Amino acid sequence: MSAWDRFVFSFFNLDIARQYLPAIAKGFVTTVYLAIAVIIAGVLLGLVLALLRSFRSKAVNFFIILFADIMRALPPLVLIILLFFALPYAGLSLDAFAATWVALSLVLAAFAEEIFWSGIVAVPRGQWEAARSTGLTKMQTLTHVVLPQAVRMTIPPLTNRVIAITKGTALGSVVALSEILNQASSSASQAGNATPLTVGALAYLLLFIPVVIFGRWIETRFAWKK
Amino acid sequence: MMDAILQNFFNLEIAAKAWPFLLQGLWMTLLLSAIVVPLGLLAGLAVAVLGSLKRKWLSRLLVVYVDFFRAFPPLVLLIFIYFGTPFLGLDIPKLLAVAIGFLLNTSSYYGEVFRAGIESIPKGQFEAARSTGLSNAQTLRYVVLPQAIRNVLPDLISNTLEVIKLTTLASVVALPELLNNARQAQAITYNPTPIVLAALMYLLLLWPLVRVLSRLEHKSVAMH
């Protein structure tokens, strides 16, 4: 067998691709499901934390900043492994999906909180005061004046962060969550052939190339006018 | 209850036993970072500078390169390289496989950051610099890049933080870095203390970077 034939046989073997496609498709569904759950929980929690922080209570803010710092400093894989392998010793067992979901959501929440907070701070103080002086309550000022501007500024960095953390769903394979990567690599070792890995890689491209291009579009769409 | 927590998560005896092993892992983590960060910065800079030349086919090629490797989760890239290459009859050392995987990923991100920096410099500055007789390369080196890099410094630091956190993925292919050694120590001792200890080491290592970053980010927002 020539080197080229061996390459095609090992990486683009159609028979093997066909055989393992269903398993990888199943992983694809899990990945999408997990990604959506992480995005919803992470962005919502981040927004809530940023809003809480805007009330400027010293004690509350101390804990929010501490949380955000720790979650941004800790590698997500370390967090997943802590939740999955260490937490059971405290009598609390999470399955692979829950551990990955909780870990990634916490990390996303920390980054989202910082991004939303930057946006809130970027709205000049005078606008708060002007809005309050027209008789709007604090809450109304926040929802009608500050947030609409803040959210607009935060969309590009938030999109990038969401994409980066969504790719972290692949880390679930380390705790044997049967998402794309795990399905692909166990299929590859079962088949003794790298083709399932190729199929898995293509599945990720299928999922993320549109997302990356969408992120690029968002970036120009919401760019600062110079 | 408190005793049980201490026994399981902060067991000093086990911590002392695992410590030298974890320290070894920390060195590998630092070594890997010391390889990937500078090379990634250089490759990213090259991607951005080549992109700024405005050769149509070259720019397109670079966009494809950058988007391709940003779309792949780094762990997928790593597994593909590490488990895929033996099928080609290649046997590359673990550290090399890991470094290549991370570099492909990281150079794309650094490339995007540098590109944003170069694009933040008004076109008039290129023209002014060129009109004083500076060559293209000199304009880039003395006028554009110093300002561009300053403009995107927070993003460069943020990406560097991500790269160091990324090194934990090497544990998946059993490269003996900090997380890998912590997990092995846990498996041997049946006690999660080594993982907790490793998490604290990561925090200690990376928290200063997070603080610097927070300060820079809030400053840059306040300037708008």
Side-chain angles (χ1 to χ4, degrees):
Chain A
M1 215 193 280
S2 74
W4 174 252
D5 283 342
R6 193 163 67 181
F7 173 73
V8 172
F9 178 82
S10 305
F11 286 89
F12 298 95
N13 193 319
L14 284 182
D15 287 335
I16 287 182
R18 213 170 290 132
Q19 191 184 342
Y20 289 98
L21 196 59
I24 293 168
K26 233 167 92 191
F28 191 87
V29 174
T30 306
T31 293
V32 171
Y33 189 49
L34 176 63
I36 292 172
V38 166
I39 293 171
I40 292 175
V43 172
L44 275 185
L45 181 59
L47 185 61
V48 169
L49 289 175
L51 290 180
L52 278 178
R53 194 169 167 185
S54 72
F55 290 111
R56 294 175 198 269
S57 142
K58 269 219 170 96
V60 174
N61 285 8
F62 174 80
F63 285 107
I64 293 177
I65 295 171
L66 187 70
F67 166 78
D69 273 15
I70 291 177
M71 289 303 159
R72 289 190 303 162
L74 216 52
L77 186 56
V78 173
L79 199 58
I80 293 174
I81 285 176
L82 268 177
L83 290 181
F84 190 77
F85 290 109
L87 218 50
Y89 288 88
L92 186 59
S93 284
L94 295 176
D95 64 19
F97 187 92
T100 314
W101 175 64
V102 172
L104 294 179
S105 299
L106 290 178
V107 172
L108 179 56
F111 280 100
E113 185 277 322
E114 282 296 304
I115 292 170
F116 284 128
W117 175 244
S118 299
I120 291 175
V121 176
V123 176
R125 231 178 143 69
Q127 295 213 17
W128 273 95
E129 290 156 7
R132 295 280 286 124
S133 75
T134 62
L136 293 183
T137 65
K138 259 191 174 166
M139 208 56 208
Q140 285 171 325
T141 305
L142 202 59
T143 54
H144 292 287
V145 179
V146 177
L147 277 186
Q149 302 182 70
V151 166
R152 195 187 150 82
M153 275 184 270
T154 54
I155 281 178
L158 191 63
T159 312
N160 281 334
R161 188 53 69 178
V162 163
I163 296 173
I165 290 174
T166 317
K167 286 192 298 182
T169 52
L171 301 184
S173 65
V174 175
V175 292
L177 174 67
S178 18
E179 40 66 74
I180 301 175
L181 179 59
N182 189 43
Q183 296 285 67
S185 56
S186 59
S187 301
S189 53
Q190 217 178 80
N193 184 294
T195 305
L197 287 178
T198 310
V199 177
L202 288 176
Y204 276 108
L205 285 184
L206 190 72
L207 191 58
F208 283 111
I209 285 274
V211 179
V212 168
I213 291 173
F214 173 73
R216 252 182 211 287
W217 177 78
I218 287 274
E219 220 159 64
T220 40
R221 172 81 176 66
F222 289 90
W224 284 95
K225 299 275 182 294
K226 289 227 175 75
Chain B
M1 174 69 191
M2 201 59 212
D3 263 6
I5 288 180
L6 285 180
Q7 195 62 32
N8 275 324
F9 295 98
F10 304 97
N11 191 318
L12 288 181
E13 203 184 318
I14 286 177
K17 250 191 234 159
W19 181 249
F21 194 45
L22 292 186
L23 221 50
Q24 262 175 33
L26 181 64
W27 280 117
M28 182 54 99
T29 293
L30 294 177
L31 173 68
L32 190 56
S33 306
I35 294 172
V36 176
V37 171
L39 288 180
L41 276 169
L42 273 179
L45 189 60
V47 166
V49 167
L50 288 176
S52 76
L53 298 180
K54 307 273 176 224
R55 303 274 155 75
K56 223 175 202 160
W57 57 269
L58 184 62
S59 294
R60 272 193 202 143
L61 211 66
L62 288 171
V63 168
V64 170
Y65 170 83
V66 166
D67 280 0
F68 188 79
F69 286 112
R70 286 198 311 166
F72 263 125
L75 183 57
V76 178
L77 205 57
L78 183 60
I79 300 245
F80 201 80
I81 293 175
Y82 186 71
F83 292 108
T85 43
F87 286 103
L88 289 178
L90 290 174
D91 187 22
I92 52 178
K94 221 173 256 183
L95 185 62
L96 188 65
V98 170
I100 290 174
F102 288 171
L103 270 177
L104 289 172
N105 175 261
T106 298
S107 58
S108 307
Y109 278 95
Y110 277 131
E112 275 298 282
V113 172
F114 282 122
R115 181 186 62 85
I118 292 175
E119 282 175 4
S120 74
I121 306 303
K123 226 179 142 49
Q125 294 216 16
F126 282 90
E127 290 157 5
R130 293 283 285 122
S131 75
T132 63
L134 292 184
S135 69
N136 259 330
Q138 284 171 326
T139 304
L140 212 58
R141 162 88 176 73
Y142 295 107
V143 179
V144 176
L145 285 183
Q147 302 180 73
I149 289 173
R150 211 180 48 196
N151 283 352
V152 293
L153 196 59
D155 292 329
L156 285 179
I157 296 177
S158 160
N159 200 44
T160 304
L161 178 67
E162 293 305 314
V163 177
I164 300 175
K165 292 196 283 182
L166 200 65
T167 59
T168 53
L169 303 195
S171 66
V172 176
V173 296
L175 183 79
E177 48 71 74
L178 181 50
L179 180 60
N180 176 73
N181 286 9
R183 288 190 61 189
Q184 281 194 2
Q186 183 232 358
I188 294 167
T189 59
Y190 293 106
N191 185 300
T193 302
I195 299 183
V196 174
L197 200 57
L200 289 176
M201 286 162 87
Y202 279 113
L203 274 185
L204 221 59
L205 185 67
L206 297 173
W207 200 335
L209 221 50
V210 171
R211 278 285 97 224
V212 169
L213 196 59
S214 266
R215 196 154 290 181
L216 282 175
E217 272 168 353
H218 287 167
K219 213 158 82 186
S220 82
V221 164
M223 277 189 315
H224 276 296

